[in-house]
Amino acid sequence: MARAFYRGYVQDGPRAGQVKRLHIMREDGKFPGRSALCGVHGYDVTRSLTVIIDPLPSVPPEGLWWCPTCVGQYADVVGLIDAVAFDLAGVA
């Protein structure tokens, strides 16, 4: 089951204003469970904790948007990249 995460600000504090992206956690390859499919690190650092959402939500929490790179990578991982490309070609 996939997980998502975003950068927190401080323990039990508000999300920083510059935090806008919800990333999909990498579960294999380099740094599984510690980075996003797009390469953003998903581990805690000083004053910026990782907020993990398990399982992957159907819509991002209020104020966040999906990371486009993560969504494209995940569509490829689950075998839906051709369907996504087909839908996008129909829109173009």
Side-chain angles (χ1 to χ4, degrees):
M1 188 57 114
R3 300 179 289 166
F5 74 90
Y6 63 90
R7 305 296 319 155
Y9 185 56
V10 294
Q11 181 110 21
D12 299 323
R15 185 171 64 234
Q18 69 269 27
V19 175
K20 302 291 183 199
R21 295 278 169 95
L22 182 64
H23 298 278
I24 300 174
M25 186 74 74
R26 176 179 301 281
E27 301 296 351
D28 62 357
K30 191 172 185 179
F31 305 117
R34 294 180 49 83
S35 67
L37 292 173
C38 67
V40 168
H41 71 82
Y43 49 86
D44 295 342
V45 294
T46 305
R47 299 190 57 79
S48 181
L49 303 178
T50 304
V51 179
I52 298 174
I53 302 171
D54 188 11
L56 185 71
S58 57
V59 296
E62 186 175 338
L64 294 175
W65 296 273
W66 289 112
C67 169
T69 304
C70 284
V71 170
Q73 293 285 334
Y74 193 62
D76 189 33
V77 167
V78 297
L80 294 175
I81 196 73
D82 291 335
V84 171
F86 180 79
D87 287 345
L88 290 174
V91 171

